[in-house]
Amino acid sequence: MSDAVTLSEPRPGVALVTMEDREHKNTFTDALQVGLGEVFQEVGADERYKTAVLTGYGSFFCSGGTRDALLNIQAGGATFQVEDRPNVYSLPLDCPVPVISAMQGHAIGGGLSMGLFADLVVLSRESVYTANFMKYGFTPGFGSTRVFPEKLGTALGGELLLTGRTFRGAELAERGVPFPVLPRKDVLPTALAQAENLAEKPRTSLVMLKAHLTRRLRAELPGVIEEELAMHEVTFHQPEVKSLLMSRYGT
């Protein structure tokens, strides 16, 4: 497995998936994407796991696409869909057992989309959450146009997507997000307590109920991705996008 992602079992039946690419601040490097794919495959296949908690390190949950990858898409060399590799952003949704996103740190762009594809979500009051696609001039991807309204509501989800604004967790709590928003130190312990509660249930029942609850979202997602990619064909290749990526990325 990639060193960027580790798998442990802190409590019986609970898989703890930790993203810890400190050099790249948990951006979607090849190492992080491959590591996540391998770990989630193991979690789904191992009958002893009844649930999974996905988290990051320190003040970073997941920082989304790298600038090099985004510039490559802008130049027409790639899309955010990678051939012969699982869609990293939807791994929490595709995992057969329930997944809890313990977003103790900043979650940016595709990193926030991935976190919202989990079944349960815990946010940090101090951390930054943003769908910053439009900050760089291109329309959102990573299934965000479907999952943001689904999990945050039409008004708030649309605001994040349209404006590219940055929100602290405390501000999202004031806006009424339907998730716990806690001090950073409490995010992972709370998620693990939720996971321990889930792990008391039979795995078969958890798998069947998750499949039922996510059926509509899973059915609609491929069509949404096609529409996002079609918008990218128009919006990503504008010269302003390259300029904004060069001047604003990471700010």
Side-chain angles (χ1 to χ4, degrees):
M1 290 187 182
S2 166
D3 291 338
V5 184
T6 60
L7 174 62
S8 61
E9 188 178 5
R11 302 177 189 181
V14 176
L16 177 59
V17 181
T18 304
M19 298 176 286
E20 197 169 0
D21 187 348
R22 292 176 179 266
E23 180 182 356
H24 301 100
K25 298 180 179 179
N26 280 354
T27 51
F28 283 140
T29 60
D30 285 345
L32 191 76
Q33 293 186 68
V34 169
L36 283 168
E38 291 175 345
V39 166
F40 270 103
Q41 183 178 31
E42 180 172 344
V43 170
D46 194 325
E47 292 289 326
R48 80 173 185 272
Y49 293 126
K50 297 181 177 182
T51 184
V53 175
L54 175 64
T55 195
Y57 73 91
S59 60
F60 291 95
F61 175 72
C62 184
S63 300
T66 67
R67 184 169 68 173
D68 285 348
L70 295 174
L71 286 170
N72 192 26
I73 294 172
Q74 194 279 330
T79 72
F80 70 80
Q81 297 284 90
V82 179
E83 293 290 335
D84 302 320
R85 183 181 295 176
N87 293 325
V88 65
Y89 54 87
S90 63
L91 286 171
L93 175 68
D94 298 332
C95 185
V97 299
V99 176
I100 303 167
S101 283
M103 288 197 269
Q104 88 308 326
H106 309 319
I108 299 169
L112 180 55
S113 298
M114 180 176 66
L116 292 177
F117 273 113
D119 303 283
L120 299 173
V121 175
V122 187
L123 302 180
S124 159
R125 293 185 61 83
E126 304 95 321
S127 295
V128 163
Y129 303 100
T130 179
N132 61 345
F133 309 96
M134 291 290 281
K135 175 181 177 180
Y136 303 116
F138 59 88
T139 48
F142 295 102
S144 57
T145 59
R146 180 65 180 79
V147 76
F148 275 64
E150 173 85 9
K151 295 297 180 70
L152 299 173
T154 302
L156 182 56
E159 182 178 341
L160 264 77
L161 292 170
L162 282 166
T163 66
R165 271 192 58 197
T166 294
F167 291 79
R168 293 281 178 181
E171 186 177 1
L172 291 177
E174 292 174 359
R175 296 289 298 271
V177 292
F179 317 125
V181 184
L182 308 172
R184 179 173 291 144
K185 65 181 179 61
D186 296 330
V187 171
L188 182 56
T190 297
L192 289 172
Q194 291 178 332
E196 190 171 31
N197 176 281
L198 290 175
E200 296 172 356
K201 282 75 173 172
R203 187 180 195 272
T204 297
S205 299
L206 290 167
V207 169
M208 291 190 70
L209 181 56
K210 172 171 180 171
H212 175 74
L213 292 173
T214 61
R215 178 178 55 190
R216 180 170 56 89
L217 179 57
R218 288 184 289 108
E220 293 175 1
L221 190 58
V224 169
I225 298 303
E226 287 186 13
E227 293 172 350
E228 290 181 349
L229 288 171
M231 288 191 290
H232 280 179
E233 282 298 311
V234 177
T235 65
F236 232 115
H237 307 305
Q238 300 173 94
E240 298 96 325
V241 171
K242 182 176 181 179
S243 175
L244 289 169
L245 284 169
M246 295 300 294
S247 63
R248 290 187 178 181
Y249 185 89
T251 61

